[in-house]
Amino acid sequence: MTTGTTSPTASGGAPSGSRSLAHPAREDIRLEGVLHALADPMRLRIVCALAAAEGELTCADVELPVSKSTCTHHYRVLREHGVIQQVYRGTAKMNGLRRADLDTLFPGLIDGVLRAADLQAGRLGDG
Amino acid sequence: MTTGTTSPTASGGAPSGSRSLAHPAREDIRLEGVLHALADPMRLRIVCALAAAEGELTCADVELPVSKSTCTHHYRVLREHGVIQQVYRGTAKMNGLRRADLDTLFPGLIDGVLRAADLQAGRLGDG
DNA sequence: GCCGTACTACGACGATTATCGTACGAACGC
DNA sequence: GCGTTCGTACGATAATCGTCGTAGTACGGC
């Protein structure tokens, strides 16, 4: 999805995505890293929101009770551990879950975590 | 919390093995806590060993490349986050996975993590 | 009663982390 | 061009964590 058709409006020309971000290859994603990334409440919220959106969200789309710097930090942790992918798009940065990679490496893991988060949310505060 | 050290030979009530350890109630187990507990390589190893044993193991049964103090620390983290239960039995302390509680709260989560750990072990070390 | 085994408590230490504020850069619209 | 919006980089800071060693406690066997 991200590759293929480059610029949507195509007026920019050559390297429209000049700002690029380093992502770990699928083989480099480690279970402990993923678990660590998911173990933080803020990051778990981000991941849940991304999963619920089933698409890309900007960093600002997920409301978090922390400063913008901290926000950037959490997104970076998620990206560097292979949980999400990030692509610049204009002034915004789109975030998406790396479901395909994660499901291939650890089938059922993300589903289990998302389901667990959902159950816990219902159990704790959502009544 | 500063209790203990009292009534080692108290009659009645508690059984003679009265050294008891505080475990969180099932309702108090939090997903972030479980994920955090599982995110450490040593602790993940312990949990995998416990799951493979399908029973109780002493702390010393799981060989870890760390000192005994560190070992105790990791077991305590696992217990305090509701991942394992610990019971004194003579001089030994038996450790067991809290599968029933975890599966009730977060169905599929532990299975997913264990399977992921297994897959990753095969992918990395086995060739 | 004494000793060995199994685990713990405590203090220490370095490394990592989560958080913030401020200053900066990159793209868009005017 | 200029300003706005969105995100980043860089320090700074306090908290947490993983690790260790040493000293200590509980239990069982002799």
Side-chain angles (χ1 to χ4, degrees):
Chain A
M1 282 297 285
T2 51
T3 55
T5 62
T6 16
S7 51
T9 49
S11 58
S16 60
S18 56
R19 284 190 292 171
S20 67
L21 296 154
H23 292 73
R26 174 188 289 184
E27 304 82 42
D28 293 334
I29 301 178
R30 303 281 267 106
L31 175 58
E32 308 91 304
V34 172
L35 291 176
H36 178 193
L38 296 175
D40 182 275
M42 298 301 151
R43 294 197 287 264
L44 194 53
R45 251 205 252 191
I46 294 175
V47 169
C48 286
L50 254 40
E54 285 189 13
E56 296 180 320
L57 294 178
T58 69
C59 295
D61 280 338
V62 185
E63 288 186 23
L64 295 179
V66 292
S67 76
K68 229 160 40 157
S69 325
T70 307
C71 229
T72 298
H73 161 71
H74 285 309
Y75 278 98
R76 182 188 337 216
V77 170
L78 285 170
R79 169 170 51 85
E80 291 182 341
H81 286 94
V83 180
I84 67 171
Q85 56 197 343
Q86 300 188 287
V87 181
Y88 282 108
R89 198 168 184 186
T91 71
K93 188 163 73 171
M94 306 311 293
N95 305 277
L97 215 52
R98 291 181 67 175
R99 283 208 81 124
D101 289 324
L102 293 171
D103 283 347
T104 301
L105 286 172
F106 314 122
L109 178 68
I110 294 300
D111 276 341
V113 172
L114 291 173
R115 179 134 175 255
D118 210 46
L119 283 175
Q120 176 170 281
R123 183 166 56 89
L124 293 183
D126 193 26
Chain B
M1 296 309 175
T2 55
T3 61
T5 71
T6 43
S7 66
T9 56
S11 57
S16 59
S18 65
R19 277 195 296 171
S20 66
L21 296 154
H23 292 73
R26 175 188 288 184
E27 302 81 39
D28 292 335
I29 300 179
R30 301 282 269 107
L31 174 58
E32 308 91 304
V34 172
L35 292 176
H36 173 93
L38 296 174
D40 182 275
M42 298 299 150
R43 293 196 288 264
L44 195 54
R45 253 205 250 190
I46 293 174
V47 169
C48 286
L50 253 40
E54 285 189 15
E56 297 181 318
L57 294 178
T58 70
C59 295
D61 281 338
V62 185
E63 289 186 23
L64 295 178
V66 292
S67 77
K68 225 145 65 140
S69 324
T70 307
C71 228
T72 298
H73 162 70
H74 285 309
Y75 278 98
R76 177 178 354 207
V77 171
L78 286 170
R79 169 170 52 84
E80 290 183 342
H81 286 95
V83 180
I84 67 172
Q85 55 197 344
Q86 301 188 286
V87 181
Y88 282 109
R89 198 171 180 182
T91 71
K93 189 162 73 170
M94 306 310 294
N95 304 280
L97 214 53
R98 291 180 68 173
R99 283 207 82 123
D101 289 323
L102 293 171
D103 282 348
T104 301
L105 287 172
F106 314 123
L109 178 68
I110 294 300
D111 276 341
V113 172
L114 290 173
R115 178 135 175 255
D118 210 46
L119 283 175
Q120 176 171 280
R123 181 166 57 90
L124 293 183
D126 194 20

